[in-house]
């Protein structure tokens, strides 16, 4: 029997329109070829992990999905529309926490409300405050609403960002290294929250990660990227020795770096 409010899983035998469809996309940033002739897709309700070494183009790919970076070649649709043209309420984005300026004078509730408005709030309405508090409660962070973001630990800040991402109940969630800077217990909490959100909403999740264990245990498919697609498929195939050697070089060194989170974007 399904859980209350849970969304039934997608039957892989039934054709469905992909949430993301990228065909031979290339992205050139000045003289730099960030991504070359990349094909991949993401289906409704699917969890896709994205792995690759430093400078592989992972974050650039997310920026292209969000419509922040333009394609140089190829085509891509996001929720059936051109990147950047989809309803912003349908996409949740969790950036790297390590890139946040902790000195910015803001409260956790303001950060969550910025996810409702799509811009930084001046005065928060009662409706926005109610929605933001509900989202914070959902991720176990209701007590942090009036805390300054500079006072939050890495795990607490990640919960607030998750609340910001979930507040409009998006059907597509993008996460850029959500476990960086968080202890093991905090990481488990993050992935439990993601799993619960997917069960309830049927959302599609794309996550950049450096942790092979996370990719193996949580992803339906894994995209291994180093400017071009090296592998894309079930974890057992994409994370096999051949693709890992091609992506990272020496296998033992690559595994140590990935498991330690030492590889950047």
């Amino acid at each position: 029997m399904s859980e209350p409010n849970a969304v039934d899983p997608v039957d892989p035998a039934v054709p469905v329109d992909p949430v993301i469809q990228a065909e031979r996309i290339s992205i050139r940033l000045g003289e730099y070829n960030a991504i070359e002739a990349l094909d991949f897709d993401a289906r409704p309700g699917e969890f896709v992990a994205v792995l690759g070494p430093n400078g592989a183009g992972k974050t650039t790919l997310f920026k292209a999905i969000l419509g922040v970076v333009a394609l140089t070649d190829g085509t891509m649709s996001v929720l059936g529309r051109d990147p950047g043209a989809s309803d912003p309420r349908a996409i949740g984005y969790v950036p790297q926490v390590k890139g946040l300026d902790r000195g910015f004078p803001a409260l956790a509730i303001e950060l969550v409300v910025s996810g409702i408005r799509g811009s930084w709030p001046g005065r928060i309405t009662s409706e926005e405050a109610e929605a933001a508090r509900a989202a914070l409660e959902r991720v176990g962070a209701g007590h942090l609403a009036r805390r300054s973001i500079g006072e939050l630990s890495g795990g607490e800040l990640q919960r607030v960002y998750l609340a910001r991402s979930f507040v409009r109940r998006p059907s597509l969630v993008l996460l850029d290294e959500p476990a960086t800077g968080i202890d093991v217990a905090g990481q488990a909490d993050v992935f439990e929250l993601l799993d619960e959100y997917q069960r309830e909403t049927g959302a599609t999740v794309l996550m950049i990660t450096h942790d092979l264990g996370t990719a193996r245990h949580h992803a339906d498919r894994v995209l291994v990227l180093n400017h071009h697609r090296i592998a894309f498929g079930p974890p057992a195939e994409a994370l096999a020795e051949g693709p890992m050697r091609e992506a990272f070089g020496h296998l033992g060194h690559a595994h140590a770096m990935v498991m330690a989170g030492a590889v950047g974007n």
Side-chain angles (χ1 to χ4, degrees), residues 16 24 32 47 141 164-165 169 207 211 218 221 238 245 257:
V16 293
R24 303 288 293 177
Y32 176 63
F47 194 125
R164 178 181 182 271
S165 173
R169 295 182 66 82
M207 180 182 67
D211 190 325
H218 290 277
R221 289 189 293 170
R245 284 189 183 277
M257 289 182 69

Side-chain angles (χ1 to χ4, degrees), residues 158-181:
Q158 196 61 280
R159 285 176 181 267
V160 174
Y161 263 117
L162 282 172
R164 178 181 182 271
S165 173
F166 293 163
V167 69
R168 295 188 294 193
R169 295 182 66 82
S171 56
L172 172 62
V173 179
L174 308 177
L175 304 105
D176 194 343
E177 298 185 60
T180 299

Side-chain angles (χ1 to χ4, degrees), residues 122-233:
R123 183 187 176 99
I124 297 175
T125 68
S126 59
E127 292 81 5
E128 289 172 334
E130 182 179 354
R133 289 183 184 279
L136 285 166
E137 289 289 348
R138 179 190 185 91
V139 300
H143 62 293
L144 301 176
R146 306 303 299 180
R147 291 268 296 275
S148 166
I149 59 175
E151 299 173 347
L152 303 179
S153 69
E156 289 172 336
L157 184 58
Q158 196 61 280
R159 285 176 181 267
V160 174
Y161 263 117
L162 282 172
R164 178 181 182 271
S165 173
F166 293 163
V167 69
R168 295 188 294 193
R169 295 182 66 82
S171 56
L172 172 62
V173 179
L174 308 177
L175 304 105
D176 194 343
E177 298 185 60
T180 299
I182 304 176
D183 60 24
V184 173
Q187 292 178 27
D189 287 345
V190 167
F191 294 121
E192 183 178 344
L193 289 168
L194 280 173
D195 289 344
E196 180 182 351
Y197 183 77
Q198 275 198 293
R199 285 195 301 270
E200 291 184 3
T201 66
T204 299
V205 172
L206 268 71
M207 180 182 67
I208 294 172
T209 181
H210 297 134
D211 190 325
L212 296 180
T214 294
R216 284 197 177 99
H217 292 112
H218 290 277
D220 298 302
R221 289 189 293 170
V222 177
L223 172 63
V224 181
L225 175 67
N226 194 354
H227 302 296
H228 63 280
R229 189 177 92 177
I230 291 174
F232 184 44

Side-chain angles (χ1 to χ4, degrees), residues 20-189:
I20 300 173
Q21 181 74 60
E23 298 181 352
R24 303 288 293 177
I25 64 169
S26 296
I27 301 172
R28 188 176 181 86
L29 305 174
E31 298 300 315
Y32 176 63
N33 291 323
I35 294 178
E36 301 177 89
L38 173 66
D39 291 314
F40 90 101
D41 65 279
R43 304 162 184 160
E46 189 173 33
F47 194 125
V48 178
V50 182
L51 281 82
N54 186 41
K58 303 183 297 296
T59 298
T60 299
L61 174 61
F62 271 28
K63 289 180 178 179
I65 293 169
L66 292 167
V68 177
V69 171
L71 303 182
T72 304
D73 199 6
T75 61
M76 180 163 60
S77 65
V78 179
L79 297 170
R81 307 184 71 174
D82 291 337
S86 299
D87 184 346
R89 293 172 297 182
I91 302 176
Y93 174 52
V94 180
Q96 294 184 32
V97 167
K98 64 186 180 185
L100 177 71
D101 179 5
R102 292 298 193 95
F104 186 62
L107 301 178
I109 193 169
E110 293 174 327
L111 184 59
V112 177
V113 171
S114 75
I116 298 173
R117 294 195 185 182
S119 61
W120 198 259
R123 183 187 176 99
I124 297 175
T125 68
S126 59
E127 292 81 5
E128 289 172 334
E130 182 179 354
R133 289 183 184 279
L136 285 166
E137 289 289 348
R138 179 190 185 91
V139 300
H143 62 293
L144 301 176
R146 306 303 299 180
R147 291 268 296 275
S148 166
I149 59 175
E151 299 173 347
L152 303 179
S153 69
E156 289 172 336
L157 184 58
Q158 196 61 280
R159 285 176 181 267
V160 174
Y161 263 117
L162 282 172
R164 178 181 182 271
S165 173
F166 293 163
V167 69
R168 295 188 294 193
R169 295 182 66 82
S171 56
L172 172 62
V173 179
L174 308 177
L175 304 105
D176 194 343
E177 298 185 60
T180 299
I182 304 176
D183 60 24
V184 173
Q187 292 178 27
D189 287 345

